[in-house]
Amino acid sequence: MATGRTHRPATRSRGIPEATVARLPLYLRALTALSERSVPTVSSEELAAAAGVNSAKLRKDFSYLGSYGTRGVGYDVEYLVYQISRELGLTQDWPVVIVGIGNLGAALANYGGFASRGFRVAALIDADPAMAGKPVAGIPVQHTDDLERIIKDNGVSIGVIATPAGAAQQVCDRLVAAGVTSILNFAPTVLSVPEGVDVRKVDLSIELQILAFHEQRKAGEDAGAVPAAGQAVPSPAASAPAGAAAAAVPGAPAAAPLSAAAAAAADDDAVAAARKGRPEGDVPAVMPA
Amino acid sequence: MATGRTHRPATRSRGIPEATVARLPLYLRALTALSERSVPTVSSEELAAAAGVNSAKLRKDFSYLGSYGTRGVGYDVEYLVYQISRELGLTQDWPVVIVGIGNLGAALANYGGFASRGFRVAALIDADPAMAGKPVAGIPVQHTDDLERIIKDNGVSIGVIATPAGAAQQVCDRLVAAGVTSILNFAPTVLSVPEGVDVRKVDLSIELQILAFHEQRKAGEDAGAVPAAGQAVPSPAASAPAGAAAAAVPGAPAAAPLSAAAAAAADDDAVAAARKGRPEGDVPAVMPA
DNA sequence: CAATCTTTGTGCACGCGTTCACAAAGACAT
DNA sequence: ATGTCTTTGTGAACGCGTGCACAAAGATTG
């Protein structure tokens, strides 16, 4: 899953909870599959299973849209597909521009799911002059200089940013200034946008880190339960002030049966934290663009 | 952001809330940036701004990790970077395999954020024999036949699925059988996995649909507030049973300017929806792989 | 037409997550 | 030492989301 969520606080749009909106596409996909198999109706139980959610939740979600089911029978597949599509605004055409045609941008341009459901890749934009004119996924790449014109000519309101982190905010500003009001950001940066502009973020690095957290936890449990409290850690930088904490770099947190490592490491790791220089990793820049 | 979230219901891992875990990578990134600029300390206010969250939330998040701040001063950057890294399990090496080296898979392999922070692309796997041996991002692609061996030889516990939707579940099953316990899924499908296996999903199509929903809403409001209730829609399939239901969609919930598009469309779209066969869009298959 | 069976729609309770607001802790100046 | 000022850490209130459990609605059968 993607992460982050820079939406209006919790302004339940219209009357539909944000959490429900996020699941509608899931239901829609499951319904579309059923539709293709010419299945006329489905029960909340079946559909919920297909969408990977619990049936009570699904029924409640649908109840926000209206009473589209028939007791004792279930939901009419075609009818529901239409209702959800309409609710999501998929009955209209949404021209989209992708900025940053690197590996990721190209992948997105080729992404089948984009073209379907009303989304149309109106243009591909990149800052590299060498890319200009070159076709990607059948669409010629245009130069950043024309960004504003492209947005306006095509009436684009949704932009996808797949540039390196460093260029993201600038691109974002230009998109917004040109009229874009919804942005899907793949660059690992927090974008600041004016009120009224929606930003959704997809961050691969974050997803992996979350998985690592759970993975570590699982390993820890398997290996004999790491002290639940686990805070055998030294005291904060209390005594050791900022800058100084840098020099002392003891052995790296060795790797024993997975968990033991974490626990044992904790002890002197406090000092390990000190190893200045390149403290952890790098700045997760995205594609080479 | 990615979507979906197939985690254990709400089993607050250890003591750290899931929501907090999801934000730690965000803080870590902001802290790393500060560290590179050799900033010694930060206040919760500053760091929160950099990470795009509210300071109270950040302080509470950190409080779950322990008391790592100094009142009146703030947090020691280096120290905090270390603590969060350790908490997320980033102090150890995480070999990762990417299955499905299409456009997306290649983009992921080249993704800089992957290599950083302890994640190491141990292998690239694809079902296409023609791909075998061909280097992508400096790593030779291997054939699916060797999947199990690769997983075991490298002690991989995290797998990334970037295959077409149709192959995802099968690949998933093989990964799990071979020992993988955490999966990052880019294929637009609901994966079913045994207890104990974590799955996170990133679905581009869903993100766009959510944006479209809000976009439609904004357009509607601008154009003179679409009837908040807006459910002037016909009655469900109540009277009109299954198959026929498609046709029985009377006038759409009228509308003004912008929303007019949706409304107008709705009218015949109802019928359009009826056009069986390929009712709405297609099955959002991912990369051509 | 009555009885039975299936499945929806929802009232209700519970728990997680967010936010406020403030006391406590420590730095720093005098 | 004492006082002031800054910033953390957290108790408490609130709101959203989830899931249970069941009444109501409609299909279906006899």
Side-chain angles (χ1 to χ4, degrees):
Chain A
M1 114 188 12
T3 341
R5 192 159 296 191
T6 315
H7 275 302
R8 53 210 73 208
T11 310
R12 189 180 300 200
S13 317
R14 148 84 162 293
I16 306 180
E18 189 60 30
T20 295
V21 172
R23 280 188 294 269
L24 290 182
L26 225 53
Y27 301 144
L28 184 54
R29 178 174 294 155
L31 285 166
T32 301
L34 290 172
S35 171
E36 281 169 353
R37 287 196 287 132
S38 297
V39 176
T41 62
V42 271
S43 66
S44 60
E45 204 67 55
E46 299 169 318
L47 185 54
V53 302
N54 132 351
S55 69
K57 192 185 297 185
L58 177 145
R59 285 200 300 276
K60 178 144 294 189
D61 282 341
F62 285 175
S63 76
Y64 290 115
L65 307 183
S67 281
Y68 296 154
T70 305
R71 298 175 191 232
V73 176
Y75 300 90
D76 179 281
V77 175
E78 297 298 328
Y79 188 72
L80 204 46
V81 163
Y82 170 70
Q83 288 299 342
I84 294 180
S85 293
R86 187 175 56 76
E87 199 66 59
L88 286 173
L90 269 33
T91 49
Q92 58 186 285
D93 179 64
W94 291 109
V96 173
V97 294
I98 299 176
V99 185
I101 313 303
N103 274 298
L104 180 58
L108 294 176
N110 280 295
Y111 183 57
F114 254 55
S116 63
R117 301 222 180 297
F119 297 105
R120 178 170 52 80
V121 178
L124 301 182
I125 302 175
D126 197 281
D128 182 1
M131 290 289 291
K134 199 183 296 180
V136 171
I139 303 170
V141 174
Q142 299 183 65
H143 192 267
T144 318
D145 288 345
D146 300 323
L147 189 148
E148 286 75 11
R149 182 183 56 68
I150 298 170
I151 299 293
K152 279 158 187 154
D153 287 358
N154 294 281
V156 174
S157 57
I158 299 179
V160 176
I161 297 179
T163 67
Q169 183 63 59
Q170 191 188 345
V171 167
C172 173
D173 291 342
R174 290 182 63 183
L175 287 175
V176 171
V180 167
T181 47
S182 283
I183 292 175
L184 182 52
N185 179 35
F186 284 87
T189 320
V190 176
L191 294 179
S192 71
V193 295
E195 182 73 18
V197 175
D198 277 321
V199 175
R200 288 191 73 83
K201 184 172 57 165
V202 175
D203 195 313
L204 316 179
S205 171
I206 286 182
E207 296 304 320
L208 271 188
Q209 290 176 52
I210 296 175
L211 280 180
F213 172 83
H214 292 296
E215 197 59 38
Q216 179 187 44
R217 211 176 117 268
K218 277 186 275 188
E221 287 174 348
D222 295 348
V226 171
Q231 294 309 68
V233 191
S235 60
S239 49
V249 181
L258 267 277
S259 73
D267 226 20
D268 43 13
D269 275 350
V271 199
R275 68 178 164 176
K276 261 287 185 45
R278 200 184 48 45
E280 249 305 314
D282 57 0
V283 207
V286 200
M287 302 292 89
Chain B
M1 122 191 2
T3 340
R5 190 159 299 191
T6 315
H7 275 301
R8 54 209 71 210
T11 310
R12 190 179 299 198
S13 316
R14 149 83 161 295
I16 306 179
E18 189 60 30
T20 294
V21 172
R23 280 188 295 267
L24 291 181
L26 224 52
Y27 301 143
L28 185 54
R29 179 175 294 154
L31 284 166
T32 301
L34 290 173
S35 170
E36 281 169 355
R37 287 195 287 134
S38 298
V39 176
T41 62
V42 271
S43 65
S44 61
E45 204 68 54
E46 299 169 318
L47 186 55
V53 302
N54 129 354
S55 69
K57 192 184 294 185
L58 177 144
R59 286 200 299 279
K60 177 139 291 190
D61 281 342
F62 285 176
S63 78
Y64 291 115
L65 307 183
S67 281
Y68 297 154
T70 305
R71 295 172 193 235
V73 177
Y75 300 90
D76 178 281
V77 175
E78 297 299 328
Y79 187 72
L80 203 47
V81 163
Y82 170 70
Q83 288 300 341
I84 294 179
S85 294
R86 187 174 58 76
E87 199 65 58
L88 287 173
L90 270 32
T91 50
Q92 57 186 285
D93 179 65
W94 291 110
V96 172
V97 295
I98 299 175
V99 185
I101 313 303
N103 274 297
L104 181 58
L108 295 175
N110 280 295
Y111 183 57
F114 254 56
S116 65
R117 303 222 180 298
F119 296 106
R120 179 170 52 80
V121 178
L124 301 182
I125 303 174
D126 197 281
D128 181 1
M131 290 288 290
K134 200 182 297 181
V136 171
I139 303 170
V141 175
Q142 300 183 66
H143 192 268
T144 317
D145 288 346
D146 299 323
L147 190 148
E148 285 75 11
R149 183 183 55 70
I150 297 171
I151 299 292
K152 278 159 186 153
D153 287 358
N154 294 281
V156 174
S157 58
I158 299 178
V160 177
I161 297 179
T163 67
Q169 183 63 58
Q170 191 187 345
V171 167
C172 174
D173 292 342
R174 289 182 63 183
L175 287 175
V176 172
V180 167
T181 48
S182 284
I183 292 175
L184 182 50
N185 179 34
F186 285 87
T189 321
V190 176
L191 294 179
S192 70
V193 295
E195 183 72 17
V197 175
D198 276 322
V199 175
R200 288 191 73 82
K201 183 172 58 165
V202 175
D203 195 312
L204 316 180
S205 171
I206 285 182
E207 297 304 320
L208 271 188
Q209 290 176 52
I210 295 175
L211 280 180
F213 172 82
H214 292 297
E215 197 60 39
Q216 178 186 45
R217 210 176 118 268
K218 278 185 276 188
E221 287 173 350
D222 295 348
V226 170
Q231 294 309 67
V233 190
S235 58
S239 49
V249 181
L258 269 245
S259 57
D267 223 22
D268 39 16
D269 273 354
V271 197
R275 70 182 159 171
K276 265 287 179 48
R278 203 179 49 41
E280 248 304 314
D282 57 1
V283 206
V286 200
M287 304 290 90

